[in-house]
């Protein structure tokens, strides 16, 4: 499995992050502060570093250790954001979680749903992951649209789950297992076979926020 070879659909592709991507990623993060800050993980014990060189080294080490897959999202060959598969568990659990960010100037080009679909298919078909999870803040309408488009199944409300933008934030949890998408996440979406209500949030959980 060579993750340096892009997986693509139309003008959108994902590939393993490279050390030389650090400068571009850092520039995108710094120039998108207002756009990204409400959704970024923060550290309750102190500030998060924006040293992307060190960050990419750390992500690639996690990849070598089998704990994550750090990818960049590209649009027409230009880096548009980052997608990380993290928390990989093997054995009887065989699960992982997806997180991502995309630059504001690339919003509206379907980059995130296509990239999430490509990454999930990669994990299911090439890495033998069985379950993929995405956790989203209730206020993040753009990310909620991603799981609606792709048919990730709603699994529940997680109270004060991740430290985001300076405080512990509630998240909705969505997931898919491999058997639900025998023809792939991307294939199901492109062919118009996504269940229309898979990501629906029950009124009780909406009112709990």
């Amino acid at each position: 499995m060579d993750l340096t070879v892009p997986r693509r659909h139309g003008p959108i592709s994902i590939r393993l992050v490279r050390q030389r991507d650090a400068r571009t990623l850092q520039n995108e993060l710094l120039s998108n502060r207002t756009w990204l800050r409400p959704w970024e993980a923060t550290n309750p014990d102190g500030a998060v570093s924006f040293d992307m060189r060190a960050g990419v080294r750390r992500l690639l080490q996690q990849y070598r250790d089998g704990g994550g897959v750090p990818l960049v999202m590209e649009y027409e060959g230009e880096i548009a954001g980052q997608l990380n598969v993290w928390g990989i568990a093997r054995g009887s659990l065989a699960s992982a979680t997806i997180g991502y960010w995309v630059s504001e100037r690339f919003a509206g080009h379907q980059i995130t749903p296509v990239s999430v679909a490509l990454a999930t298919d990669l994990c299911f078909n090439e890495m033998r992951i069985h379950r993929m999870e995405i956790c989203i803040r209730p206020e993040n309408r753009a990310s909620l649209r991603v799981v609606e488009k792709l048919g990730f199944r709603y699994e529940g409300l997680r109270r004060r789950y991740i430290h985001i933008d300076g405080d512990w934030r509630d998240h909705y949890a969505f997931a898919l297992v491999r058997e639900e998408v025998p023809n792939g996440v991307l294939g199901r979406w492109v062919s118009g076979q996504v269940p229309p209500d898979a990501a629906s949030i029950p009124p009780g959980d909406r009112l709990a926020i």
Side-chain angles (χ1 to χ4, degrees):
M1 182 180 63
D2 185 359
L3 295 184
T4 64
V5 176
R7 275 64 170 174
R8 66 176 68 253
H9 177 72
I12 299 163
S13 61
I14 59 171
R15 62 165 173 81
L16 190 70
V17 70
R18 298 184 290 241
Q19 193 64 54
R20 63 177 177 268
D21 295 326
R23 181 186 296 275
T24 300
L25 290 169
Q26 181 157 318
N27 289 342
E28 292 294 334
L29 283 170
L30 292 175
S31 63
N32 279 267
R33 300 313 308 131
T34 302
W35 169 256
L36 295 173
R37 186 178 291 111
W39 321 115
E40 282 182 342
T42 45
N43 186 343
D45 298 320
V48 175
S49 170
F50 278 98
D51 181 355
M52 281 304 297
R53 291 186 184 279
V56 170
R57 281 196 300 272
R58 187 165 54 249
L59 289 169
L60 287 173
Q61 185 60 55
Q62 289 174 1
Y63 171 63
R64 289 188 289 270
D65 292 341
V69 182
L71 303 165
V72 293
M73 302 184 287
E74 295 182 319
Y75 185 76
E76 296 182 340
E78 187 176 0
I79 290 177
Q82 212 173 348
L83 186 152
N84 290 323
V85 179
W86 58 277
I88 293 176
R90 295 295 186 177
S92 58
L93 194 55
S95 70
T97 299
I98 280 183
Y100 49 81
W101 61 264
V102 66
S103 295
E104 185 175 14
R105 63 196 179 97
F106 289 102
H109 293 287
Q110 303 282 15
I111 293 167
T112 303
V114 169
S115 297
V116 169
L118 287 169
T120 303
D121 288 342
L122 166 69
C123 288
F124 283 171
N125 299 326
E126 299 183 53
M127 298 181 61
R128 308 303 296 166
I129 295 295
H130 178 252
R131 178 180 180 275
M132 184 65 75
E133 179 175 282
I134 301 178
C135 294
I136 300 170
R137 285 187 62 183
E139 303 88 348
N140 192 342
R141 281 302 312 162
S143 278
L144 291 174
R145 284 291 297 134
V146 170
V147 291
E148 290 166 4
K149 289 176 182 178
L150 299 181
F152 273 71
R153 179 174 25 80
Y154 179 71
E155 289 201 334
L157 172 65
R158 296 186 177 177
R159 286 291 193 183
R160 299 179 64 78
Y161 177 55
I162 303 176
H163 202 270
I164 301 280
D165 192 27
D167 201 0
W168 296 102
R169 310 290 183 176
D170 297 339
H171 281 68
Y172 291 141
F174 302 85
L176 279 176
V177 295
R178 192 189 308 152
E179 293 87 349
E180 292 176 277
V181 283
N183 298 317
V185 181
L186 184 62
R188 187 177 70 164
W189 179 34
V190 170
S191 64
Q193 297 178 337
V194 172
D197 58 351
S200 297
I201 299 161
D205 282 0
R206 289 200 302 268
L207 292 173
I209 297 302

